[in-house]
Amino acid sequence: METKFILQELVNYAEALTSNVGALWQTIGALRKNLMFDNVPQKTQQQPSTELRELCKSKDEDLRKLKYGQGSIVLRTTVTKGRKYQYYQGKYCVNGKTYYCTAKTYNDCFLKLANIRKHAQNLLPSTPCKDTFAEYIREYLNTYKKPFVSKSTFDGYFYTLNKNVPEETLNKPLKSVQTAELQKAINCTAEPHPRAGRTLYDLFTQVTRRAYAEGIIKRDIEKLLIKPKQDPTEEQPLTAEQQQHLLNVADDRQKSIILTYLWSGCRRSELLQLKWTDLSSNGQTLLIRGTKTDTSVRAVPVFVPLQQVLNQLPRNNERIFPFSVSTIRRMFEDLNEKADFAFTPKTLRHTFNQNLTEMGVSDLIRAKWMGHAKPTTTKRVYTHVTDTLERQEIDKVKNGIK
């Protein structure tokens, strides 16, 4: 009987389509009501807050940039039926799940991504009780890590935990956590990402060591965990010949980037954060805002090669090098092909330290200019026994022999 009614309504729909548009909508409404569509709860889209709307109206692009942990927005291009279309795609990852959104403008995508973050936060599990493994780790990080590391490093701990450690393990009571669970999480993380696996191992050992010392757990789990193997990817500094060859094959823009890395010891992202206001009024020192710890913020001397670069650059932008990370990456890919040997911004940082070592600069001063809290880090990681350094030591011994 119901089927006959629907068919009859469809006939009425076809007749209304050819005669009266008003009757068409009346027929669709009646059909919807009889099929009980109105009883289905409709999803209500959350509207962005007034603060976000005002933020999108701002002309300051730096204010609208997404911060760490807020997702990403990328301009995409697609071709449909021979025509090219551009759109913005937003991406947000939390607890191993990825959410996407698309929009025609950056502002619309920014607002949609804000709604996705709000929706995703509502789906997160409730805060576990204080005797769980996750809560103990949270208290440990807030107490012993947050005051001494940068915000990006601190947030990276939680990102690594949420992405690689199962929720069942994190929400377990601290006393019930098994060593095999932690080792499995370390191994699965270290296989594709050795550095993240090492971070997870260090965090687990530090947390369990303190829990054991406080008497919360009765087993010293730290001694049972196995450190993941890390392939030696030691960066070798460039020789003087390689440095000169690199400057010869580079164009003007690339040369300014290379010289800045070579004579400032910047990390890749630190160079992109340099501003003209970081240069002292007399032009003798440059403030480098560190990206790892508070001690990595340092002032380095502006040596002659770096001073020549700064004098030639235009000052029509707030930043000294108004480039993106992808621009630097493409620039170094091009330079690797021109130079016929592999190197990265970190290689140039190693070269900066090695040049200072061969010039006789003390460990304490080099550690300060490199942004290291301890000189031992500079000696252990960044100092290499090169031919030049070895010849200098040989000459010292020969001169000492009478």
Side-chain angles (χ1 to χ4, degrees):
M1 186 67 182
E2 187 70 20
T3 305
K4 291 183 178 180
F5 173 78
I6 294 175
L7 291 174
Q8 183 61 40
E9 292 296 331
L10 290 175
V11 173
N12 295 339
Y13 164 77
E15 294 177 353
L17 185 63
T18 58
S19 59
N20 188 0
V21 178
L24 168 64
W25 289 111
Q26 292 179 4
T27 306
I28 293 175
L31 184 60
R32 180 185 179 89
K33 184 176 181 180
N34 282 278
L35 291 178
M36 303 181 67
F37 285 166
D38 290 337
N39 295 333
V40 180
Q42 300 296 314
K43 294 182 180 179
T44 58
Q45 185 179 6
Q46 298 178 351
Q47 295 297 325
S49 62
T50 306
E51 182 181 357
L52 279 175
R53 289 182 177 276
E54 293 298 326
L55 183 63
C56 284
K57 293 179 182 179
S58 173
K59 295 182 179 180
D60 190 352
E61 295 184 359
D62 290 336
L63 293 177
R64 293 182 296 167
K65 285 184 179 178
L66 294 168
K67 298 180 181 178
Y68 179 83
Q70 292 185 343
S72 61
I73 297 178
V74 180
L75 181 63
R76 301 287 187 186
T77 303
T78 182
V79 178
T80 304
K81 296 182 179 180
R83 297 186 62 182
K84 183 186 292 186
Y85 298 92
Q86 287 188 335
Y87 64 95
Y88 289 88
Q89 183 186 65
K91 180 181 178 181
Y92 180 68
C93 300
V94 60
N95 280 359
K97 296 182 179 180
T98 305
Y99 301 86
Y100 294 92
C101 65
T102 58
K104 292 183 178 180
T105 63
Y106 183 92
N107 288 349
D108 291 343
C109 195
F110 186 89
L111 294 175
K112 286 185 177 181
L113 203 59
N115 284 335
I116 288 178
R117 288 198 303 270
K118 188 175 181 180
H119 172 72
Q121 292 297 328
N122 294 335
L123 298 180
L124 290 177
S126 58
T127 304
C129 56
K130 290 188 177 181
D131 61 346
T132 61
F133 187 44
E135 185 61 26
Y136 190 83
I137 292 178
R138 184 179 290 107
E139 290 183 0
Y140 174 83
L141 291 175
N142 285 323
T143 305
Y144 299 100
K145 291 293 184 182
K146 189 174 184 179
F148 309 105
V149 299
S150 64
K151 186 178 183 302
S152 59
T153 303
F154 180 75
D155 293 340
Y157 286 116
F158 289 101
Y159 176 80
T160 304
L161 281 170
N162 293 332
K163 186 176 181 181
N164 301 290
V165 184
E167 289 186 16
E168 313 84 76
T169 303
L170 291 175
N171 293 335
K172 269 187 175 182
L174 182 57
K175 299 178 181 179
S176 303
V177 175
Q178 300 296 320
T179 309
E181 295 179 271
L182 303 183
Q183 190 65 54
K184 184 178 179 181
I186 293 172
N187 295 342
C188 294
T189 306
E191 185 175 357
H193 306 289
R195 189 171 180 178
R198 184 66 178 268
T199 300
L200 209 57
Y201 168 81
D202 292 340
L203 181 59
F204 285 162
T205 53
Q206 293 167 11
V207 168
T208 54
R209 183 194 308 144
R210 182 158 297 277
Y212 178 72
E214 293 176 352
I216 300 176
I217 56 178
K218 297 182 179 180
R219 296 176 303 157
D220 191 1
I221 298 180
E222 176 198 359
K223 296 181 179 179
L224 302 177
L225 293 175
I226 301 174
K227 182 186 297 186
K229 292 183 179 180
Q230 192 169 6
D231 295 333
T233 56
E234 185 179 5
E235 294 278 353
Q236 292 295 329
L238 301 180
T239 63
E241 293 77 12
Q242 288 177 324
Q243 296 176 47
Q244 187 59 47
H245 175 65
L246 188 58
L247 293 173
N248 292 337
V249 299
D251 57 32
D252 292 340
R253 188 177 72 163
Q254 294 171 345
K255 189 178 296 185
S256 63
I257 294 292
I258 293 170
L259 287 173
T260 305
Y261 276 124
L262 279 176
W263 290 100
S264 68
C266 281
R267 298 179 178 90
R268 182 185 67 174
S269 55
E270 289 174 347
L271 179 133
L272 299 178
Q273 295 179 6
L274 293 176
K275 298 181 179 180
W276 288 109
T277 53
D278 296 331
L279 187 64
S280 62
S281 56
N282 58 5
Q284 297 299 314
T285 57
L286 180 66
L287 180 65
I288 299 177
R289 305 183 185 278
T291 57
K292 300 192 76 173
T293 62
D294 293 336
T295 56
S296 61
V297 179
R298 71 273 189 195
V300 299
V302 179
F303 298 104
V304 174
L306 180 58
Q307 189 176 24
Q308 293 175 353
V309 170
L310 296 177
N311 291 338
Q312 294 174 359
L313 292 176
R315 301 197 179 193
N316 51 10
N317 195 291
E318 182 183 12
R319 292 191 297 162
I320 297 179
F321 297 100
F323 306 136
S324 63
V325 176
S326 58
T327 302
I328 297 295
R329 185 184 300 112
R330 289 193 298 268
M331 186 182 299
F332 272 80
E333 289 175 356
D334 181 50
L335 285 169
N336 274 262
E337 294 180 0
K338 291 180 179 179
D340 293 333
F341 55 82
F343 70 99
T344 63
K346 190 174 182 181
T347 307
L348 302 182
R349 177 171 161 83
H350 279 258
T351 307
F352 169 72
N353 175 75
Q354 195 63 31
N355 289 339
L356 296 179
T357 304
E358 295 175 357
M359 293 175 185
V361 180
S362 65
D363 298 338
L364 190 62
I365 297 300
R366 283 190 290 111
K368 179 183 178 182
W369 292 348
M370 294 286 288
H372 292 152
K374 300 178 181 179
T376 53
T377 304
T378 311
K379 292 180 64 176
R380 176 174 53 86
V381 180
Y382 286 88
T383 303
H384 308 265
V385 181
T386 60
D387 294 338
T388 305
L389 189 61
E390 187 176 7
R391 284 196 300 269
Q392 291 177 358
E393 298 301 320
I394 292 174
D395 292 339
K396 289 181 182 179
V397 176
K398 287 182 178 180
N399 295 331
I401 298 175
K402 295 182 181 179

